[in-house]
Structure formats: structure tokens, C-alpha cells
Amino acid sequence: MESFTVNENQDQALEFSPFLKQLVSRHPEWLQDLRLSGRLEEPIPPNAELLAEGIAEFSLDSALRQFRNREMMRLIWRDLNLLAPVDEILADLSLLADICLQAAVEHHTMKFEEKYGTPRNADGEAQKLIVIGLGKLGGGELNLSSDVDIIFCYPERGECDGRRGLANEQFFTRLARSIIRSLSEITADGFCFRVDTRLRPFGDSGPLVSTFAALEQYYQREGRDWERYALIKARPVAGDLDAGQQLMGLLKPFVYRRYIDFGAIEALREMHANVREDALRKDRLDDIKRGPGGIREIEFLVQTFQLLRGGREATLQTPSLFEAASQLQNLQLLPAETIGDLLTAYRFLRKTENRIQALHDQQTHSVPAGEDGLRVAQAMGYQDMHGFESALSDIRSQVQTLFEESLPEPSQPVDTQDPWQAYWKALRNNAGKERPDGRGWQPLSAFAGRLNRLSLSRRASRRLDEFMPVLLGQLDALALDDAIVNRVLDLVSAICRRSAYLSLLVQNPGASKRMLELFAASERIATAVTRHPALLDELIDPSLGAYPPSRQDIQAGVQRVLETTDDPETALQDLNYFKLVISLRIAVAVLKSTMDTLEARFTLSCLAQNLVQATLDLSQREMEARHGRLPGPGLAVIAYGSLGACALGFDSDLDLIFLYQPASGLSDGRRAVSAERFHTGVARRLLSLMSATTPSGRLYSTDARLRPNGRAGMLVSSVDAFRRYQLEEAWTWELQALTRARPIAGDTETGEVFKAIRHQVLTQARDKDLLITEVAAMRERLRDAHGDGNPLKHGRGGLVDVEFVVQLGILLNANEFPEVTASTDFNQQLRALRDCAWINEPNFNVLDKSYAHLTHARQQAALVDRSAEIEAAPLLNIARPLCEEILG
């Protein structure tokens, strides 16, 4: 065996860790083997095969301890010599624990099955033990001298098939005790891992091992909020890992509520207070885990967001703090700068924790004094204790600030002297109906009457009594008129029995204020939030409206929904909720003038386009599940009207047609179908999903009547049939519609074929006099059909007139100037007609101004107050003379 020489850096590492120095002194051959294998220099993680060899040579217990100590030598060496980042050390320590647990499970299971037989359920199916890791083990973030927090479980009751007929419960309980002894008992070789099972149901007084059914029942009936918090970090770490994943699926509804549970904020605040109270104990002040600004506060902050938002955002359903923090940034729930600061502090504190525990392999989190303290300081890269303690103090102060600033604000204590308290109390007891200033307030009297007919739980009633005096004071301060007050009280009526939403508003006074401001500004927003109170969650964000949603935000959000569920109904509901959220953000951005009219219409169009693609994906999945995959080019969805023109409004329907390229082959499933049948099924399912009502509303009203031959035509058309129809049979109004048509979803190749057909059709030579006559006649038919009900759109000089002028211009000029067909956007089409000299600069300016003012007025009407009368004449008169001149 080659000799091994310790270099200067190695001397330094040994000086930083007396435990490492002791290990090297007792087992110099381990260090030599690690060096020769390259594992000291390279990130080569623990290997279960090496442990298996040790078990074969020695006893299980001895092999576990030697394997653990050998790996500790490697990890401490790499850590103190700055050869590995702290993330790697934590991950390798967690893998080390997983391997040791798995080896102990397998070894003892084999011994017990030889003695008692195989545990089986009532159907004779073999049952296996599952070990669920919690805490830092579950998160893959174990430190150098940490306990392993675990829960033992197995799928179903039954008994072993051996001669003694031992019950499964007894078998797995004895098995779990043997595993714990093998890991945690101190022998001549030391110990492997300390095992803590107190996080199981009912703690120390509960059974050591539980069935899946018992766990599910416990958490549904007995589970407390701190147990939801603990299970965020749960993952199967040993035993039957596949069955463990099934258990995680069973427990997910307990941990991550489908709708954000704002009622949990109260419990989290109590937990937060406990964390802070514990941190401020005298014996905790130097504790970098539990003290002020310590590791626990970072973990609590991240896991609070996971608990509150994880049911809605499946990417937060991870036991890893690093991954959860990354997703908080991706979802913009915390600023990137805050996440960066948190992770920097977390890594500094975890590295410090490891350096402390590397001293003597002891489970301690306090910076020691004297010689050991200097070792820790120098291991962290500081020359003396003063520099290290100053840096540590700065880090912990920063964590404290981030901790306080990032959590939901606490509710204010009740002010018993507040006159609104007395007013509300009297109102609830039918003892008074006048405001503190002596004036009557009719909306409150009607609201109190409705409230008395509702049956509220004690909790809901308490939260309502806490919220209403604050709300009444805010309403009075804003001097809102009765119509707006009624909007607000309609919301309170809608949520008072779902008191988690009241808790949201109580715990977040800023959200309550933003709600009032938006309700006063927009009837649309008030209606949407009252109908879907989950949108109140958006009001927590003080930057709501400051950063309008981008195309990338929309694409990423829709993709997250599709990637996180395989259930079409769940996906559809999540897509509907996503539409509500993005629409709200767009509406608020318009009200705050951070998004103009054209940007809002474009973003609403982008939202619709992505949702059409998502429902197309869901529809194709279902058809492929029934009939297999269809070879060749796929279906393309073509948008006409407002969506085709990238000018969707808040209330716009979607005009869609479906095109496919003919294929001779059938789908490859057992129930094979032709291309036409396959694509027809996809299109029908898409339309059904788009219009289906869910608890979060429905996506869009759709209209497919613009397809060839309208309702009498096939729902899906081949591109050849579509080309023939457009060239030979299409009416002039259908050609006008084609000027605003574009592919928005589905197969890109088929979409390109559509573009070529559109260009070919629009650039045909036409009888110009006949064209002008037919466009003018269609304009009159539309006006007669709609009367005076929508003057901004159908009045003389309205949007239809302005759009008809542009459509006529394209059809008249496309043969000579094909570039006018390049875009479906009104503004670009108008510029193209100016550039080809069909309209002059003054007329261009008239049409451009008219379109901008009309679209803005219609958008404001839809957003602010649909019933408000708009003075249409000045807007219509901008382009009316020009439209009359061109259209006749």
C-alpha cells in the first residue's frame, strides 16, 4: 500500500475539526483510499454498494457505523478544504442517511420474513415497510450531526404468511424498532444516526408504525396546522419508495389546500410567534438555528408561502428549500433580490452550522467560545472571532428584517374606543341604524337584514365582527357612494360564511384598502371578485397593477398548469382560475395606467391564444388515449374577429375555425379512426372545454360559424376544401373576415398552409365597383340587425365602419399591393394602406384617431361601469364623414 502524506491544507482542515483529526488518526487507510479513488477531490456521492460490501464482511451495525464515519471523513474534508459547496454537502449527507436507512430496512426485513413469513393484506398481496423522511432529511438538506426525523408506515392491515400468523402491525413495529436500534445505538464504532419518530401521529403516545388508512384518517380528523407545516418536507426515503409516493398523493390534500386557506394565516402567526419567542430565550441568542435571524426563520418563511400557495401552485409542492425558493421567485411571490438574500444567508448559516458540528460531531447550533470558536471563525474564512461574529450578526439581522417584511402583516388589536365598533355592534343587534356622525346609511341597514338570515359559525361571526368596524371606517373615510358601498357589502355577504377570506382581509389591511379602491374604480372587478373570492389573494400583493403580465408570464403560467396535473377537469379548473387572475391583473394595470388600451387588447389576445392551445393539448390527449396517435400533420386552430386581429376585449367571444391536412392513414390505437374523425373529436372537445362551467367560471364563449358553409358545414375542414371554398364560393363578408384571420394554435405546418391560402385568396383580382357595393350593403345589414344598442360599435362612424373601411381597402388593393395582407392587426393594416397611397395622411390620422378613441371608450365602459351612458356622438363624429364618403 502506498504511503500517504498530509499536506499543509490538510493540516489546516485537521486543525479545524478535532473529530476529523481523530478519524484520520484511527483510520488513516480510509483517507488514503478516499484520495486514491478521487473522492476527496471530485464530487462522487456515497455509494450503496460500498455499504453492502461492508455488511457482507462485518455485521450490519458495525458496517453502518464504519460507512457513516468514512463518509463523514470525506464530507468534512471536502467542506473544510473548500472543495465542495454547502449545497453538495447537505445533499450528500441526506443521501448517506437514505442509504443507511435502506440497508437497515432490507437487512432486518429479510431476517424478519425468514422468521415470521411475508406480511400480506386481505387479498394476499405482499406488504412492505415505508420510511418517510421529514425535516432536513425530507428536504435533502441534512447537516453533519443531525437527527433523522422519520415516520414508519405500511399500506394495509393483514398478517404474515408464516406458521405463527403474526399480525402486520406487530411485524412492522418489531421491524421498525430493530431498524432504530441498528442506526442509533452507541457501540464501540460509535453510532450511525440518531432517529426521532416523535413527528408521527399522536407523537410518543401513538403507534410506532401506521397503515396508510390510519395516517390519512388521522390527518383529516386530527391533523393540526403545524403537522401540515411539517409534512411539506415529507418524502419517501427508504423501503417501498413507490408505495411511499402513493402515500404522498393521499396526504397532499391535507398539506396543500385546493384553495388558498387564509384561515391558516392565524395558525401560522401563532407558529411564527412561537418561533420568535423561542428564538429570544437567553439560551437561544447564540443559536444559529433557533435564535433570532437563524436558519429556522428562513425555513419558516419559505414554508409559509408553500403552505398558503402550494395548493394553487403545484411547483411549490417540493420538500427542498432551494427548489421552493426558486419557485417563489419564478412565481413572483417574492422579489428576486429577497430570494437571493435569503439563500445567501441560508448557505452562510448552514455552512457555519456544519463547521460547528464538525468540531466534535455533536448536535449543537451555538457558536462556541475560546479555541473552538476561533476554529469555526477561521474555517469560515475569517482571521479572528471579531470579524466572523460581525459578519454573522449582519447576516442574522438581515434575516430578521426579511422575515418580518415578507410575512403577511398582523391584524391590529381591536380598539374598543373606535365608534365604528359600537355602531357595528348596535347594527348586528338591531339596536341602531345611524352612523357615528348621525346620518343614516341605507346600504348597511339592508346588509344587516341579510346578515341576520345567514347562519354563521362562531369563527365566522368572530372574524366578521373583527373585520366590519375596520371596513366601515375605511368606507366612511373614502366617502364612497351607496352604489359602491353595495358592491363591497355584496362581497362581504358572499364571503362571510367562508371566513378564511375574512381572515385574509383582517390579516392584510393593505389588501382591504386595495379592494375598496378597485371596487370604487371598476364594477367589472367588483363583480369578478364577488363571484370568485379566491381573487382576493391577488390583493395581498402591494405591487398589483405595477407590473402588467407579459406574454412570457402567460406562457409560463399556462405551461405550469399543464405540467402539474394529468386530470383534465383539474387542469380546466386551474386554467379558468389562471384566466381570472391574469384578466384581473390586466384590468388593474389599465386602471393604474401602466398598460394602455392597445397593450391590454394584445395581452388579452395572448391570454386567449395560450388558453386555446392548452385546451387543444388537453383535447388531443383525450383523443389519443381513446384512439391512439394520428400520423402526419395535426389540427390547426384559426382565429377570426377580435382574437384574429390581436384586439380582444374583456368580454369578447372567440371566433374559431379548424383546419387539417388530409391523411390516408388511421390512428394507431385499438379503436383506430380516420384523420377527419380524429380531428373532429378534438375540435368538439376543445369547444366543450372552452365553454364548460367550472367553480372558477368558464374560459370563453366560442363561435365556429365562420367555417365554410357556416353551421351547415363540417366542424373541421381540410385545407384543400377550405381553399376551394374561399376561392370559388366565399361571400364578400367572408373575405372581409379573412383579412383578420390568423393561426393561433395547433400544428404550425397546417397554420402555414392557411397563411398561404389566405394570401392567395385576398390577392385575387376583383370587380371593385361590385366589391364596394357589397361591403356597403353588409354594413347596412349589420346596422339594421343591431339597431342603436351598441352605438360605439355599430353606429355611423363607429368601430364597424372604421374596420369596414380598412377591410375594403385591403380587398381593393391586395392584388396590386400584396403587402397590405401581411398583418391582421388594424393599426398595421391601416399603415399599409397609407403606404400604398390608398389613403392620404390626413385620412390616415382620422381613422387612426377614431379607432384609438373608440376602442378606449369601449374598454373603459366594460371595465368601469357597463350601465353608464357614454356620450357617443363626439367619438362617432371623428370618422363619420370619412366613412360615409368611402362606404357610401
Side-chain angles (χ1 to χ4, degrees), residues 231-450:
L231 286 176
I232 289 173
K233 307 291 282 185
R235 71 176 174 93
V237 295
D240 188 341
L241 299 182
D242 290 338
Q245 289 298 340
Q246 294 175 17
L247 176 63
M248 294 296 96
L250 292 174
L251 299 185
K252 185 180 291 186
F254 167 71
V255 183
Y256 298 107
R257 302 290 163 80
R258 190 72 195 150
Y259 291 98
I260 296 173
D261 183 8
F262 296 108
I265 293 177
E266 294 177 3
L268 286 168
R269 285 220 153 266
E270 291 179 8
M271 293 166 62
H272 168 204
N274 291 336
V275 169
R276 265 297 156 87
E277 183 179 348
D278 185 60
L280 293 173
R281 285 170 42 184
K282 288 185 179 180
D283 60 340
R284 294 275 194 258
L285 296 181
D286 293 326
D287 191 319
I288 63 168
K289 176 182 178 181
R290 292 165 291 188
I295 294 166
R296 181 181 283 179
E297 291 193 354
I298 299 175
E299 293 171 335
F300 183 85
L301 174 59
V302 173
Q303 287 174 249
T304 293
F305 278 93
Q306 288 182 268
L307 199 63
L308 292 177
R309 307 295 187 110
R312 182 66 68 185
E313 301 290 351
T315 55
L316 290 174
Q317 297 176 12
T318 170
S320 165
L321 182 139
F322 294 114
E323 176 61 23
S326 174
Q327 293 303 326
L328 288 177
Q329 179 176 329
N330 291 342
L331 296 167
Q332 299 180 350
L333 296 176
L334 284 176
E337 182 180 0
T338 298
I339 293 296
D341 291 342
L342 279 172
L343 291 181
T344 297
Y346 183 73
R347 290 185 170 103
F348 183 93
L349 293 170
R350 294 306 307 274
K351 189 181 292 187
T352 301
E353 180 184 46
N354 276 342
R355 304 289 163 83
I356 293 170
Q357 295 181 353
L359 290 168
H360 306 292
D361 191 24
Q362 293 178 348
Q363 189 183 27
T364 178
H365 309 280
S366 296
V367 178
E371 187 177 351
D372 278 350
L374 184 59
R375 286 192 178 105
V376 172
Q378 292 176 342
M380 289 296 293
Y382 297 88
Q383 294 300 314
D384 53 37
M385 286 294 291
H386 176 74
F388 168 62
E389 288 177 340
S390 176
L392 179 59
S393 176
D394 289 344
I395 286 285
R396 292 177 67 175
S397 295
Q398 183 183 41
V399 170
Q400 282 185 279
T401 300
L402 293 171
F403 185 65
E404 292 296 345
E405 290 179 349
S406 301
L407 284 175
E409 301 173 14
S411 57
Q412 299 299 316
V414 174
D415 181 3
T416 56
Q417 303 301 313
D418 181 1
W420 294 107
Q421 285 282 345
Y423 172 67
W424 172 246
K425 184 176 180 180
L427 195 68
R428 285 210 72 177
N429 294 328
N430 295 317
K433 295 185 179 180
E434 288 189 348
R435 302 187 330 181
D437 58 11
R439 292 186 291 128
W441 207 351
Q442 181 57 36
L444 264 295
S445 300
F447 171 71
R450 295 199 305 271

